[in-house]
Amino acid sequence: RMSALSSVARARASGTTVRTRRRSRRARGTRRATNEDDADAGFDVEIAEKPTHWRVVDGFVSDFANDLRAVYDGRTRDPLRVDPERFVWDYWHVPNQYTLLRTPAEDYFGAERYGELEKALLEYGRRELGCSAITPVWMSCYVHGMRQELHADVPHGPWAFVLSLTKNDAEDGSYGAHFRGGETQIMRPERLNYWKNFDAGEVVERSQIMETIAPTFGRLVAFDPRLPHGVTEVFGTQDPRHGRLVLHGWFKDPEPSFSGALTEEDASPTLEGALGELYGRLVELPRASGMVCAALTVAPDGAVTNLRWTCDTLTPIPLPELPSETDIRDAIMLDIASALLELKFPARDAESVITLPFCFE
């Protein structure tokens, strides 16, 4: 089956040589050579064997995060002070599911600070995740006994995020001097097909079932909300000044983005024709769910000189009669890469980057 899928990708490449190898797949793309001397000119596009369902960025907007934390500390410093700014929290309790304090971040920090936060998140979302918008951001605080049980909130957007404002107040510079727990927990995708991946010789413990990510100050965690996820219970402090404090929401509305010399108007005629043909071919391949996002570097002469996958949650729908999930991913992503590497945009006086998300349902 894989040989058939690979041959489809190769045939569609129209001048692109495709090679694969185990663990990481590598498609070698070469634009049509004008003579024999140019025939070896090309570049590599790596295709991971498995999708990446979460990513961690430490020190995200670190200076600005300190500013937001200072606002919070100023309002909670004196628990005896009566001030309207302290009366903004919703105690959200859904039995056996959610228990936490929450408030809209824009209301808490004001339009100016919230605008800076939104701008930073949007820039990251467009550049790395192919998303053009975010949902309104919540701020939540967790003290003793608070948690989120496992859930999956897919409809809000293809990526969820958590940005920690939790103090790193332990002696070693980490968080957690006043509590334990409070980690973001995400179920490992291989455990969702438990019997398919069952190994009778393996001892399965929590760390093999769940990924836990500590709420270190300034840490941004973006993850695939299709995976069951939650927040481990907080034990210890009942003081909101020392609890788990995070900003969270979802990246949404995947759309192409353009930076550099080429504008959307410049690139649209080239993209519309090529993408229309590509979409028609992709529907012939086995079904998959998730998204991949390709960032194209376009030289001043309009040629594509590099393709980088900025995010990848592409997960084939498993059926017994189909090839392996890795083979299906190869076929889909090789088809996308082969089509994009052949594009020729209008010439401009500087380099451009075009980011293209591909969503599968």
Side-chain angles (χ1 to χ4, degrees):
R1 292 280 177 84
M2 179 53 201
S3 60
L5 289 176
S6 291
S7 65
V8 169
R10 289 192 185 97
R12 290 170 183 167
S14 181
T16 300
T17 301
V18 178
R19 299 172 184 165
T20 63
R21 70 183 186 190
R22 282 295 163 195
R23 295 190 63 81
S24 64
R25 271 50 177 173
R26 191 170 292 275
R28 181 165 181 79
T30 306
R31 294 187 300 279
R32 290 186 183 88
T34 56
N35 56 58
E36 291 185 3
D37 292 338
D38 294 335
D40 291 331
F43 42 87
D44 292 334
V45 176
E46 185 171 334
I47 298 175
E49 186 174 4
K50 296 179 180 180
T52 301
H53 291 281
W54 58 82
R55 53 178 60 198
V56 176
V57 181
D58 285 325
F60 186 79
V61 293
S62 55
D63 291 341
F64 184 58
N66 282 318
D67 181 42
L68 296 178
R69 179 71 209 201
V71 172
Y72 178 81
D73 287 339
R75 294 179 183 176
T76 59
R77 182 171 293 112
D78 183 1
L80 298 178
R81 185 182 60 145
V82 178
D83 191 308
E85 293 175 338
R86 295 178 59 87
F87 293 84
V88 297
W89 295 96
D90 169 36
Y91 178 79
W92 190 38
H93 176 67
V94 178
N96 301 314
Q97 189 63 63
Y98 308 109
T99 304
L100 55 116
L101 297 165
R102 64 178 185 174
T103 188
E106 183 173 15
D107 292 347
Y108 192 90
F109 292 111
E112 183 176 350
R113 286 191 178 92
Y114 183 83
E116 291 184 51
L117 171 66
E118 185 178 51
K119 179 181 178 182
L121 289 167
L122 285 173
E123 287 178 352
Y124 179 82
R126 290 192 187 99
R127 182 181 70 251
E128 298 296 329
L129 307 176
C131 293
S132 64
I134 59 173
T135 61
V137 179
W138 289 95
M139 181 165 68
S140 294
C141 181
Y142 297 70
V143 294
H144 182 77
M146 294 185 176
R147 66 192 185 281
Q148 289 193 38
E149 297 293 354
L150 294 178
H151 62 283
D153 34 23
V154 180
H156 301 300
W159 289 90
F161 69 84
V162 179
L163 174 58
S164 179
L165 299 181
T166 307
K167 278 186 174 180
N168 290 347
D169 51 9
E171 290 185 1
D172 62 359
S174 64
Y175 87 102
H178 300 276
F179 71 90
R180 58 187 176 87
E183 299 97 345
T184 299
Q185 58 176 344
I186 307 169
M187 183 171 287
R188 294 184 174 276
E190 61 270 21
R191 298 305 174 187
L192 294 174
N193 295 320
Y194 187 80
W195 294 115
K196 177 181 177 181
N197 298 296
F198 181 74
D199 181 353
E202 178 186 25
V203 176
V204 179
E205 298 180 331
R206 178 185 174 84
S207 61
Q208 282 82 50
I209 300 172
M210 305 297 297
E211 177 77 9
T212 56
I213 304 172
T216 303
F217 181 82
R219 170 172 287 174
L220 176 70
V221 181
F223 61 92
D224 183 348
R226 298 175 302 167
L227 295 176
H229 58 276
V231 177
T232 60
E233 186 169 355
V234 169
F235 296 94
T237 187
Q238 292 182 321
D239 189 335
R241 296 173 295 181
H242 301 301
R244 178 189 195 258
L245 185 69
V246 295
L247 300 163
H248 55 100
W250 292 265
F251 294 101
K252 64 175 188 172
D253 298 344
E255 290 183 1
S257 65
F258 305 83
S259 63
L262 281 172
T263 66
E264 182 176 358
E265 291 73 21
D266 294 332
S268 288
T270 301
L271 289 172
E272 286 172 2
L275 293 180
E277 293 179 8
L278 174 60
Y279 296 152
R281 298 196 300 265
L282 290 175
V283 297
E284 300 172 8
L285 295 176
R287 285 189 60 204
S289 176
M291 71 178 295
V292 292
C293 189
L296 307 179
T297 302
V298 182
D301 67 359
V304 177
T305 59
N306 188 50
L307 184 152
R308 178 176 70 94
W309 304 110
T310 63
C311 70
D312 168 17
T313 64
L314 184 66
T315 306
I317 306 299
L319 292 172
E321 68 273 16
L322 293 177
S324 74
E325 295 179 19
T326 300
D327 294 343
I328 295 172
R329 279 173 46 82
D330 279 351
I332 293 172
M333 295 178 73
L334 288 172
D335 217 349
I336 293 172
S338 297
L340 298 182
L341 296 178
E342 295 293 326
L343 296 179
K344 180 71 173 181
F345 294 94
R348 290 294 182 266
D349 59 0
E351 192 175 78
S352 306
V353 175
I354 301 174
T355 304
L356 299 171
F358 294 84
C359 299
F360 299 79
E361 296 179 355

